[in-house]
């Protein structure tokens, strides 16, 4: 049996791991690589003559840990290049993947239209080369027809000698740790792929489930050397910010937020705050059609949420709808908020303030000293969110250089990733005497190195940090 690391190797995005046994090939995750810039992507794909460094038609099955694009975003391309198998995941992951992949396809289509221009079909005008990793909606529909949902805890046989089980990982609705059992030469071997590890007591989601002892553990390290800073509950932390920014002064609170997962946690927390506190009737604008669609998926899967959320649903009928919440669907409605002069809260994507409608809201309010931009998650280097968090006096938006007069704040209670303590707790589920190796993925290099040192001190001696393309015999 061989395991090859084709993505999220000494970097955060692009999760993709190839497990081979007796000519049966399993791809665990098939994510988009956001660590590559345009030149790097073109160079890699030209060298490979493909989006993938292997023949897609030889893959038998894909196992998907969760719906986020850095784990699912290349699945349509796998089918484009000849894959004919199944994509096995949980039911909520199927529903959220459908939304995210169609959204990505629409974005690709807009970029293609912009590349070729309105007159690209005129005779004699040559079209620009289409990036290899672009797909459109028909490719997504083809892929989704081959998704197979499996329940948490259900042992599911994907081949005569291979069985899988999904365990709830927290992090996102439907997210899973996947344990793969392989029977070779009369011997059973177990491999666990962590996916993204959630945190305890997160709004809506259950805590990460315990997994059984395995022989090999593939563990993410996004927060491998960091601890979450805020110790308040999400309700208390958010209520404090709202009071200071919208009530004590008649201000406006803008919250950049990822549409899938983060926005649902925010809306649920706001619903609880409005039910538990005597807050004034502040309008809350949720400005993301994708977030609205994702919220409906969360509402349909109440049975998979944590006990507190299920109890709140029983007592209040709705997890996410409350009197002052307004969903904005059209771009015109989004832009019109600029004319709303009362104190309010605006939740809009994307979370790193890189693209999406939130750029307009930041641009319209960055010079307003009565406005606050609240960052609630990680922003990668170079993004507009990263520049705001690093205290730049001026920022460039849509080609305009603007002074930063708005207040910039940050809380991390809504981060969906477990921190170093959560990751250690996950690893310590395994007996160090029985575990043959730990492979660290999905993290920045320093984060991986620090986490490697940390768990080696706990008695886990064989801890590898694989390079991209490195193959290990298990």
């Amino acid at each position: 049996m061989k395991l090859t690391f084709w993505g999220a190797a000494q970097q955060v995005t692009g999760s993709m791991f190839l497990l081979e046994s007796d000519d049966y090939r399993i791809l665990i995750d098939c994510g988009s690589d956001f660590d590559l810039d345009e030149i790097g992507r073109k160079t890699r794909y030209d060298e490979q003559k493909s989006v993938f460094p292997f023949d897609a038609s030889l893959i038998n099955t894909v196992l998907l840990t969760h719906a986020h694009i850095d784990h699912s975003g290349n699945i349509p391309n796998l089918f484009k290049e000849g894959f004919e198998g199944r994509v096995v995941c949980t039911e909520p992951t199927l529903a959220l993947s459908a939304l995210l992949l169609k959204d990505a396809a629409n974005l690709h289509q807009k970029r293609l239209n912009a590349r070729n221009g309105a007159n690209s079909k005129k005779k004699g005008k040559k079209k620009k080369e289409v990036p290899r990793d672009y797909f459109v909606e028909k490719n997504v529909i083809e892929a989704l027809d081959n998704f197979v949902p499996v329940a948490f805890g259900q042992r599911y046989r994907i081949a005569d000698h291979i069985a899988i089980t999904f365990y709830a990982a927290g992090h996102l609705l439907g997210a899973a740790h996947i344990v793969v059992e392989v029977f070779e030469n009369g011997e059973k071997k177990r491999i666990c792929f962590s996916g993204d590890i959630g945190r305890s007591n997160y709004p809506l989601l259950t805590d990460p489930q315990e997994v059984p002892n395995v022989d090999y553990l593939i563990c993410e390290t996004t927060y491998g050397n960091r601890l979450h800073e805020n110790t308040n509950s999400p309700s208390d932390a958010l209520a404090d910010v709202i009071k200071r920014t919208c009530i004590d002064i008649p201000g406006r609170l803008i919250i950049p937020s990822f549409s899938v997962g983060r926005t649902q946690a925010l809306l649920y927390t706001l619903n609880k705050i409005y039910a538990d506190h005597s807050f004034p009737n502040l309008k809350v604008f949720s400005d993301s059609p994708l977030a609205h669609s994702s919220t409906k998926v969360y509402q349909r899967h109440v049975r998979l949420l944590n006990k507190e959320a299920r109890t709140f649903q029983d007592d209040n009928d709705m997890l996410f709808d409350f009197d002052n919440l307004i969903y904005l669907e059209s771009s015109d409605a989004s832009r019109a908020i600029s004319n709303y002069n009362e104190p309010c809260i605006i939740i809009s994507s994307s979370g790193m303030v890189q693209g999406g409608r939130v750029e307009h809201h930041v641009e319209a309010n960055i010079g307003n000293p009565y406005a606050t931009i609240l960052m609630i998650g990680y922003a990668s280097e170079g993004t507009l969110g990263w520049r705001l968090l690093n205290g730049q006096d001026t920022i460039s938006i849509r080609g305009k250089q603007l002074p930063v007069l708005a207040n910039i704040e940050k809380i991390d209670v809504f981060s969906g990733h477990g921190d170093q303590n959560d990751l250690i707790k996950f690893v310590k589920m395994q007996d160090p005497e029985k575990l043959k190796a730990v492979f660290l993925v999905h993290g920045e290099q320093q984060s991986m190195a620090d986490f490697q040192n940390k768990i080696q001190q706990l008695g886990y001696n064989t801890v590898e940090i694989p390079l991209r393309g490195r193959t290990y015999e298990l």
Side-chain angles (χ1 to χ4, degrees), residues 5 23 45 47 59 83 98 110 141 144 162 167 175 189 223 264 268 297 300 346 384 390 408 431:
F5 293 84
D23 293 328
Y45 299 153
E47 288 174 354
I59 303 298
F83 174 60
K110 288 177 182 176
I141 292 170
L144 293 172
I162 303 174
Y167 297 87
K189 299 174 186 176
Y223 274 72
Q264 288 70 44
Y268 168 63
V297 174
R300 286 202 308 269
I346 302 170
L384 184 52
N390 279 272
I408 312 298
D431 184 343

Side-chain angles (χ1 to χ4, degrees), residues 344-378:
C344 65
I345 300 168
I346 302 170
I347 302 169
S348 187
S349 61
S350 70
M352 296 188 192
V353 202
Q354 195 72 9
R357 294 182 180 182
V358 75
E359 276 196 10
H360 162 75
H361 298 301
V362 171
E363 179 183 354
N365 291 279
I366 197 69
N368 177 6
Y370 288 95
T372 299
I373 299 169
L374 177 65
M375 300 297 295
I376 62 169
Y378 173 77

Side-chain angles (χ1 to χ4, degrees), residues 106-279:
N106 288 335
L107 181 61
H108 291 168
Q109 189 66 65
K110 288 177 182 176
R111 288 174 176 169
L112 289 173
N113 293 343
R115 275 170 173 260
N116 295 323
N119 299 318
S120 63
K121 293 185 179 179
K122 286 188 175 181
K123 188 175 180 180
K125 183 161 184 178
K126 186 178 179 182
K127 286 188 176 183
K128 292 183 179 179
E129 184 181 354
V130 176
R132 290 186 187 274
D133 58 338
Y134 276 22
F135 53 83
V136 293
E137 188 168 357
K138 69 176 183 179
N139 305 126
V140 175
I141 292 170
E142 177 192 3
L144 293 172
D145 284 343
N146 293 280
F147 274 56
V148 177
V150 175
F152 286 117
Q154 176 187 339
R155 191 168 178 273
Y156 181 77
R157 192 172 290 277
I158 60 172
D160 288 342
H161 66 301
I162 303 174
I164 60 170
T165 308
F166 289 84
Y167 297 87
H171 180 66
L172 180 72
L173 180 66
H177 311 307
I178 303 177
V179 173
V180 182
E181 296 176 72
V182 180
F183 297 86
E184 280 189 334
N185 303 319
E187 181 184 359
K188 180 170 73 174
K189 299 174 186 176
R190 282 182 167 182
I191 309 101
C192 176
F193 296 85
S194 72
D196 285 357
I197 299 167
R199 54 195 296 190
S200 299
N201 303 312
Y202 191 75
L204 296 172
L205 301 178
T206 58
D207 291 351
Q209 221 175 340
E210 187 166 346
V211 297
N213 278 307
V214 297
D215 299 294
Y216 300 94
L217 182 67
I218 293 81
C219 183
E220 67 111 332
T221 55
T222 312
Y223 274 72
N225 60 357
R226 288 178 288 166
L227 299 176
H228 292 304
E229 296 172 4
N230 295 100
T231 56
N232 291 344
S233 71
S235 294
D236 289 344
L238 187 57
D240 173 66
V241 175
I242 295 170
K243 182 177 183 300
R244 289 187 290 101
T245 61
C246 295
I247 298 172
D248 293 347
I249 60 170
R252 170 177 289 205
L253 179 62
I254 299 160
I255 309 178
S257 177
F258 293 113
S259 297
V260 181
R262 201 73 52 84
T263 294
Q264 288 70 44
L266 267 175
L267 292 177
Y268 168 63
T269 303
L270 282 166
N271 197 358
K272 288 171 61 183
I273 289 171
Y274 278 34
D276 294 341
H277 294 75
S278 300
F279 270 34

Side-chain angles (χ1 to χ4, degrees), residues 15 18 26 102 173 180 229 237 250 261 287 367 393 411 461 468-469:
S15 288
L18 179 61
I26 307 166
K102 287 178 181 178
L173 180 66
V180 182
E229 296 172 4
D287 188 18
D393 295 332
I411 56 175
N461 296 319
R468 182 181 185 273

Side-chain angles (χ1 to χ4, degrees), residues 310-439:
R310 297 196 307 272
T311 300
F312 189 88
Q313 164 78 23
D314 291 341
D315 294 342
N316 298 275
D317 294 328
M318 294 296 287
L319 288 171
F320 306 105
D321 281 342
F322 45 93
D323 288 343
N324 298 299
L325 174 63
I326 299 171
Y327 287 102
L328 303 174
E329 292 293 343
S330 71
S331 298
D332 287 343
S334 173
R335 287 189 291 269
I337 303 178
S338 296
N339 299 319
Y340 183 81
N341 294 319
E342 298 297 320
C344 65
I345 300 168
I346 302 170
I347 302 169
S348 187
S349 61
S350 70
M352 296 188 192
V353 202
Q354 195 72 9
R357 294 182 180 182
V358 75
E359 276 196 10
H360 162 75
H361 298 301
V362 171
E363 179 183 354
N365 291 279
I366 197 69
N368 177 6
Y370 288 95
T372 299
I373 299 169
L374 177 65
M375 300 297 295
I376 62 169
Y378 173 77
S380 59
E381 186 171 345
T383 61
L384 184 52
W386 180 84
R387 297 200 296 273
L388 290 171
L389 285 171
N390 279 272
Q392 293 192 5
D393 295 332
T394 61
I395 56 171
S396 176
I397 303 179
R398 306 176 200 265
K400 292 182 282 188
Q401 202 70 23
L402 303 171
V404 179
L405 301 179
N407 304 291
I408 312 298
E409 293 200 23
K410 175 187 177 182
I411 56 175
D412 62 9
V413 291
F414 291 100
S415 170
H417 279 278
D419 65 8
Q420 186 187 74
N421 288 337
D422 294 304
L423 300 183
I424 289 172
K425 180 180 178 182
F426 178 75
V427 172
K428 287 177 70 174
M429 293 176 186
Q430 303 298 320
D431 184 343
E433 298 297 322
K434 297 178 180 178
L435 191 64
K436 295 178 181 176
V438 181
F439 299 97

